[in-house]
């Protein structure tokens, strides 16, 4: 592995782990706030226990996300100094604002964790909501910075010189809205199904069923609503990418030749030498409709662009296929969930129904990671699309491969510790608020 591949692999690995920590940190505070609201309205101690369980999980993920985010900040400067030299002054504003949102989130989380029975109950609840809002703002601001790499704006570029810098225009680039919307919904889908699945597993084990059922309903409802909205976001993103990065759209569908009524490809094996996708299912006109809203309008193929500007076709295509396949499976499960809560409430405790959510635990995060592969790999060979190539931005420092191994070990260890702590916390608080325990009322108030 050469230093260039090691640097890209280290960033990919770091982002792959951090995005999960960040998404959980963005979404869990809202679950926590919903549960807290239900406690304040009903006085049901189970909701209080659930709120405390989730809030401690939020604290664990907040600390983890802060560590991994800090590591990423250093990696940008250490691995890609040429990129940061020019890009830093242009897209630094969203990172600065993200730092402000992070501090607000930290303060609000401290108030919430230590505010039980100390603050006015609705002020205490509002601090929890603020944790979610500031965490969501942090995520959107970071995505705005990434969107700038896909749609650079806010500067003039001539003969290698960056001038007339406008940080506001850079932050509000053409890609930020579609990417932020898609990312926020993906965070709710992945976290909602993962949390719902874990509580479904506890219900199947018949451990504190009432506690975990209430938790399951909150997480599943949020996750399913987001999953049903995600195709709308995907359509917005597809039309946006068509205008800004047509070569990325072509790579996503392994679409080699420009043609009218362009087919949407499902599955298949990419054959770059013969420029086709073997064993694929093709649906005529659908790609044209997704790209332009018109089944007869032509979609540009890869052959319209210089070969040296092609992204890795197979990786981009397979990642896109994984994302949309898992997304549709979760949409189907979401529709089933709506049927259950409206028409078939007795299915809620059915083992087969709960097992579907257990099986769905990793699906949202796999789709999330696949989507980021599409975004990042599909932009290659550019680190700033159309301006700076990735190979021109990498550090000349040798020995990056050892850094890659060290960072991988750190992130894998950190993830294992987080999973252990979250699982232990869920079990501990679940036992504390077990309504079948004769000491329930005494323990829950202590």
């Amino acid at each position: 592995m050469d230093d260039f591949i090691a640097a890209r692999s280290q960033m990919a690995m770091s982002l792959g782990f951090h995005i999960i920590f960040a998404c959980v940190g963005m979404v869990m505070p809202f679950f926590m706030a919903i549960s807290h609201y239900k406690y304040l309205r009903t006085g049901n101690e189970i909701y209080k226990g659930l709120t405390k369980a989730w809030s401690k999980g939020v604290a664990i993920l907040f600390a983890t996300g802060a560590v991994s985010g800090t590591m990423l900040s250093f990696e940008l400067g250490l691995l890609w100094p040429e990129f940061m030299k020019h890009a830093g002054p242009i897209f630094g504003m969203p990172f600065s604002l993200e730092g402000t949102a992070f501090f607000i989130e930290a303060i609000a989380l401290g108030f919430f964790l230590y505010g039980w029975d100390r603050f006015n109950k609705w002020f205490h609840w509002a601090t929890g909501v603020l944790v979610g809002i500031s965490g969501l703002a942090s995520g959107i601001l970071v995505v705005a910075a990434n969107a700038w790499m896909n749609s650079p704006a806010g500067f003039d570029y001539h003969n290698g010189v960056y001038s007339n810098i406008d940080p506001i225009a850079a932050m509000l680039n053409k890609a930020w809205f579609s990417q932020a919307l898609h990312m926020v919904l993906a965070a709710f889908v992945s976290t909602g199904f993962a949390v719902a699945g874990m509580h479904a597993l506890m219900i199947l084990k018949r451990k504190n069923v009432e506690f975990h059922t209430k938790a399951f309903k909150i997480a599943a409802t949020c996750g399913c609503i987001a999953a049903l909205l995600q195709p709308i976001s995907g359509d917005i993103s597809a039309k946006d990418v068509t205008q800004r990065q047509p070569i990325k759209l072509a790579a996503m569908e392994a679409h080699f030749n420009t043609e009218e009524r362009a087919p949407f490809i499902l599955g298949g094996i990419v054959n770059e030498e013969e420029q086709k996708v073997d064993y694929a299912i093709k649906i005529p006109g659908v790609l044209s409709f997704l790209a332009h809203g018109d089944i007869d309008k032509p979609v540009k193929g890869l052959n319209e662009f210089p070969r040296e500007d092609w992204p890795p076709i197979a990786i981009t295509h397979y990642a896109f296929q994984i994302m949309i396949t898992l997304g549709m499976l979760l949409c189907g499960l979401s529709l089933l969930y709506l049927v259950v809560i409206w028409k078939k409430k007795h299915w809620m405790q059915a083992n087969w129904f709960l097992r579907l959510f257990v099986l769905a635990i990793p699906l949202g995060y796999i789709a999330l990671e696949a989507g980021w592969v599409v975004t990042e790999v599909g932009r290659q060979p550019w680190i700033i699309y159309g301006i700076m190539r990735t190979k021109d931005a990498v550090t000349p420092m040798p020995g990056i491969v050892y850094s890659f191994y060290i960072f991988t070990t750190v992130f894998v260890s950190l993830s294992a510790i987080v999973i252990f702590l979250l699982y232990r916390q869920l079990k501990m608080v679940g036992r504390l608020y077990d309504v079948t325990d004769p000491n329930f009322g005494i323990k829950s108030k202590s």
Side-chain angles (χ1 to χ4, degrees), residues 12 29 71 92 99 115 119 144 173 242 257 259 280 286 329 369 389 423:
M71 292 169 69
F119 297 140
N173 58 80
T242 302
N257 299 306
E259 57 183 299
V286 174
L329 287 175
E369 298 284 7
R389 292 181 182 269
Y423 183 74

Side-chain angles (χ1 to χ4, degrees), residues 410-422:
V410 170
F411 273 105
V412 170
S413 302
L414 189 62
S415 299
I417 293 169
V418 168
I419 292 170
F420 169 74
L421 289 175
L422 290 175

Side-chain angles (χ1 to χ4, degrees), residues 59-129:
I60 294 170
L61 268 300
F62 176 82
T64 308
V67 171
S68 60
T70 302
M71 292 169 69
L72 273 170
S73 298
F74 282 111
E75 284 179 291
L76 281 172
L78 293 172
L79 299 178
W80 312 103
E82 190 65 20
F83 166 71
M84 291 303 295
K85 172 184 174 182
H86 299 290
I90 303 171
F91 79 153
M93 177 169 284
F95 279 126
S96 299
L97 294 175
E98 191 274 336
T100 302
F102 174 80
F103 285 124
I104 293 172
E105 184 181 6
I107 293 168
L109 182 59
F111 276 11
F112 186 83
L113 291 174
Y114 298 103
W116 290 98
D117 304 319
R118 292 181 176 88
F119 297 140
N120 172 277
K121 64 180 183 180
W122 289 109
F123 175 78
H124 184 219
W125 174 78
T127 62
V129 174

Side-chain angles (χ1 to χ4, degrees), residues 327-339:
M328 295 310 297
L329 287 175
L330 294 177
C331 277
L333 184 53
S334 299
L335 290 172
L336 176 61
Y337 179 78
L338 294 181
V339 171

Side-chain angles (χ1 to χ4, degrees), residues 227-420:
L228 294 173
L229 293 174
Q230 191 69 295
I232 300 174
S233 167
D235 181 66
I236 294 172
S237 296
K239 290 178 171 56
D240 177 61
V241 169
T242 302
Q243 298 299 317
R244 292 184 300 97
Q245 294 174 295
I247 191 172
K248 178 187 284 188
L249 179 73
M252 288 158 59
E253 274 293 286
H255 182 65
F256 290 96
N257 299 306
T258 301
E259 57 183 299
E260 297 178 353
R261 299 180 65 86
F264 186 81
I265 296 176
L266 294 175
I269 300 174
V270 177
N271 185 337
E272 290 193 45
E273 289 187 4
E274 299 184 20
Q275 297 192 357
K276 64 179 183 177
V277 182
D278 297 319
Y279 314 113
I281 299 173
K282 297 184 177 181
I283 308 175
V286 174
L287 182 59
S288 291
F289 180 78
L290 291 175
H292 302 292
D294 183 347
I295 63 172
D296 293 318
K297 198 164 184 177
V299 176
K300 286 186 177 180
L302 288 160
N303 287 320
E304 293 280 336
F305 307 92
R307 191 67 180 253
E308 63 269 19
D309 291 344
W310 286 17
I313 308 303
I315 295 174
T316 307
H317 175 71
Y318 295 141
F320 180 65
Q321 293 290 307
I322 291 170
M323 180 184 70
I324 60 172
T325 299
L326 296 181
M328 295 310 297
L329 287 175
L330 294 177
C331 277
L333 184 53
S334 299
L335 290 172
L336 176 61
Y337 179 78
L338 294 181
V339 171
V340 170
I341 61 175
W342 283 339
K343 298 291 185 180
K344 301 285 186 179
K345 294 185 185 299
H346 61 283
W347 286 358
M348 187 68 74
Q349 298 297 326
N351 287 351
W352 64 267
F353 178 71
L354 294 170
R355 287 194 184 104
L356 289 177
F357 276 88
V358 173
L359 292 173
I361 288 175
L363 300 187
Y365 286 118
I366 295 172
L368 179 73
E369 298 284 7
W372 270 102
V373 170
V374 172
T375 299
E376 297 302 290
V377 176
R379 188 182 64 244
Q380 299 305 315
W382 306 98
I383 192 168
I384 306 175
Y385 185 69
I387 302 291
M388 180 185 289
R389 292 181 182 269
T390 308
K391 64 183 177 64
D392 297 328
V394 72
T395 178
M397 182 180 69
I400 299 299
V401 65
Y402 301 109
S403 173
F404 167 62
Y405 294 145
I406 292 170
F407 272 71
T408 300
T409 302
V410 170
F411 273 105
V412 170
S413 302
L414 189 62
S415 299
I417 293 169
V418 168
I419 292 170
F420 169 74

